[in-house]
Amino acid sequence: MRTPLAIALLYTACSWHPDLDARFACPDDRCPSGYTCLEGRCEPILPDAGPAPAWWNTAWATRSRLRIHNRSEQRARAGLPVMIELEFSDVGVPDIDELVIVYHDGNTWTRLPFYWVYQERFADVFWFRLPADIPPLSAEDGVWIYAGNPAAPGAGTEGISVWEQHDYFDTIGASWAASGDVTSVNNNSVRIGPGGVFRGQATWPVDYAVDAAIVAPAWTQGVSIGFQRSGDFVDAEPLARWAHNGTGFVPELEVGAVDEPRWSGEAVIVADNRVEVGVDRFADRIRYWLRSKVEAERAFGGGDDFLEPMQIRLANTGTTAFELAQIRVRRTMNPLPQVTRGALEPRP
């Protein structure tokens, strides 16, 4: 079920922000009547989601409705990966085997593959693909989480189908190339030592993103991961990446245009040995994720070279090795639809 809306641009209680795509920022969590603050933006309050469909499967103890907000003036296409922050305790289950995501199109229930990103000390997230197009400035209300079925089959590896490419690295396959100190290790990771470079053979256009899980005993200067337009192991530009400067992880951007100098954002200190990082590429901006949250965003005005497909590239110019545990490539859009969760309903 989709809910349309109409947007009127109002100035009351919101402040203009140049990087929010003609939306209004709400740093004080205040918005005009008819609007609500979502991820720092004043967004229209959508009409009620409508009546709930009949219970899918009474083997499950609870359910909660997901509302997927397309905040863009572009259509959000079916198959686009979206995510929701969720802990198992939020739905009263001990692990992933007692949770499913299902979709009701108005007539039929369909189980959706999903992928769990575990983040120690930080909220976990679950990724799944949109089951249907969402028109501009509208919402999809047909997705539900069902939980609490101890007899349910395990989730298995179905979540791999959420991604365009997904590597666990039990071996270094033909889709990757290595130079310098790069080796497979026995915990399904790739060790990238000092001077090592690891790059993908495939290239990805704009509107694609890379997420990675990386591990190190200590983070030191010289770790970098992101997109670069290079067919070899040279530290080439343009690029869009996270790089560790010895203090923290820093978002970096080099577009390649004469009038676009290299940009570096503020360093983010990471105390954990394992961290999830991500980079979203768009034609006019880069979005930088850390621990499954957007940490920085940088808009730019030019650079035809940057619009060409680019490879994924990890490098280590420091003195301490780190490990790449996973790489995930996904389609993306700006802004990515936001998923919110309704109240938990007990089995009737």
Side-chain angles (χ1 to χ4, degrees):
M1 179 188 299
R2 291 167 201 82
T3 306
L5 59 95
I7 280 189
L9 297 180
L10 303 178
Y11 290 87
T12 307
C14 289
S15 59
W16 181 256
H17 191 293
D19 291 333
L20 293 186
D21 296 334
R23 299 292 197 275
F24 294 92
C26 47
D28 56 0
D29 293 328
R30 295 173 57 245
C31 291
S33 175
Y35 284 66
T36 187
C37 190
L38 291 176
E39 291 188 334
R41 310 181 192 201
C42 288
E43 303 285 352
I45 296 174
L46 299 175
D48 185 82
W55 201 268
W56 165 59
N57 186 332
T58 55
W60 299 84
T62 64
R63 72 177 185 179
S64 49
R65 191 175 211 159
L66 301 185
R67 168 164 275 196
I68 308 171
H69 308 253
N70 179 12
R71 302 169 295 158
S72 170
E73 296 180 7
Q74 305 297 318
R75 181 175 293 270
R77 298 293 182 182
L80 177 75
V82 295
M83 54 84 76
I84 181 170
E85 186 176 286
L86 182 76
E87 295 285 359
F88 294 124
S89 59
D90 294 340
V91 290
V93 299
D95 55 44
I96 193 172
D97 290 339
E98 293 193 36
L99 183 150
V100 292
I101 299 177
V102 291
Y103 172 61
H104 191 263
D105 64 2
N107 297 294
T108 305
W109 287 100
T110 304
R111 183 168 174 168
L112 301 180
F114 65 93
Y115 188 85
W116 169 41
V117 178
Y118 169 71
Q119 301 185 117
E120 186 175 357
R121 298 198 313 110
F122 297 91
D124 296 346
V125 297
F126 292 80
W127 287 87
F128 61 94
R129 289 182 183 261
L130 292 183
D133 286 5
I134 307 179
L137 307 175
S138 301
E140 170 62 65
D141 294 306
V143 179
W144 293 75
I145 289 179
Y146 278 74
N149 179 7
T157 59
E158 64 178 10
I160 292 175
S161 63
V162 173
W163 315 112
E164 302 297 322
Q165 179 178 330
H166 186 217
D167 291 281
Y168 274 117
F169 299 112
D170 50 345
T171 61
I172 298 177
S175 58
W176 295 91
S179 175
D181 185 3
V182 178
T183 56
S184 288
V185 292
N186 58 13
N187 61 347
N188 293 340
S189 297
V190 173
R191 178 187 178 276
I192 303 175
V197 181
F198 192 62
R199 65 180 179 86
Q201 302 280 28
T203 56
W204 303 94
V206 295
D207 298 328
Y208 277 80
V210 59
D211 300 319
I214 52 178
V215 183
W219 298 108
T220 59
Q221 185 171 359
V223 174
S224 66
I225 174 172
F227 289 105
Q228 287 190 229
R229 196 196 65 150
S230 174
D232 52 34
F233 295 100
V234 177
D235 190 12
E237 299 169 346
L239 56 82
R241 68 183 184 183
W242 281 103
H244 203 285
N245 68 354
T247 300
F249 281 92
V250 176
E252 294 186 346
L253 175 64
E254 169 63 51
V255 177
V258 174
D259 58 346
E260 294 277 0
R262 174 178 280 193
W263 169 81
S264 295
E266 295 184 6
V268 182
I269 298 173
V270 172
D272 304 276
N273 298 119
R274 178 186 172 106
V275 65
E276 296 272 344
V277 296
V279 178
D280 286 19
R281 281 186 65 210
F282 303 104
D284 65 345
R285 69 190 58 235
I286 302 295
R287 185 173 295 131
Y288 300 85
W289 298 70
L290 189 68
R291 308 185 189 100
S292 300
K293 291 184 180 294
V294 175
E295 191 69 39
E297 184 169 314
R298 178 67 174 181
F300 57 89
D304 290 342
D305 289 346
F306 191 83
L307 301 181
E308 296 183 12
M310 298 170 71
Q311 67 178 14
I312 296 166
R313 187 173 185 274
L314 295 93
N316 187 353
T317 59
T319 59
T320 302
F322 71 97
E323 293 180 12
L324 170 64
Q326 288 185 40
I327 282 281
R328 305 183 296 270
V329 180
R330 57 182 166 83
R331 286 193 285 137
T332 189
M333 69 177 293
N334 181 36
L336 191 70
Q338 184 186 15
V339 184
T340 57
R341 186 173 64 89
L344 205 62
E345 301 176 15
R347 178 175 50 216

